[in-house]
Amino acid sequence: MDTPSVTRISISGGSSCVWRKGKGEVIGFRAGCGGLPKWIPFLDLLADKNEVIVPAIPGFPGAVGHNNFDNHLDWIVAVHDILKKSNLLNNTSLIGSGPGGSLIAEVAALWPNEVKNISLISPWGISS
């Protein structure tokens, strides 16, 4: 199978990888615990009929800069910035697992007009 392309974006004074693969409707994926140390078969299945974009979150494989965040809101804003710089906002479907699911749920709650829909896989608790 083809390997995904990899680009980098600047977030919070650090650099994050953004993996892309496939063609069609764009789907963003936010990984859970441990980030995304390698492309996984689940993403290949999604990429068969869609363009799948997977940005790394600071502090996880493929990214640095997590020491710049002081609280939960800092993480939510960083995820929003990552999604924006990865072209995953404004009418894009997002999938998130574990803490990645919780963070995209928070983004969708704070910026509802920028997210088409979300699918959550075992999201962690959402702050209030």
Side-chain angles (χ1 to χ4, degrees), residues 11-98:
I11 297 292
S12 188
S15 176
S16 292
C17 286
V18 180
W19 294 271
R20 295 173 190 270
K21 186 173 180 183
K23 293 187 185 306
E25 184 178 340
V26 175
I27 295 176
F29 180 74
R30 182 52 248 130
C33 286
L36 189 71
K38 63 180 183 173
W39 192 262
I40 56 176
F42 168 74
L43 298 175
D44 278 326
L45 292 173
L46 290 176
D48 279 345
K49 296 182 180 176
N50 303 283
E51 179 182 2
V52 179
I53 301 174
V54 184
I57 296 281
F60 291 94
V64 296
H66 64 286
N67 294 332
N68 298 329
F69 306 143
D70 292 326
N71 56 52
H72 189 68
L73 184 57
D74 287 349
W75 281 96
I76 296 167
V77 170
V79 168
H80 180 263
D81 290 347
I82 288 166
L83 295 173
K84 186 174 185 175
K85 288 184 177 184
S86 300
N87 296 319
L88 287 172
L89 293 179
N90 298 321
N91 214 19
T92 301
S93 298
L94 300 174
I95 300 171
S97 68

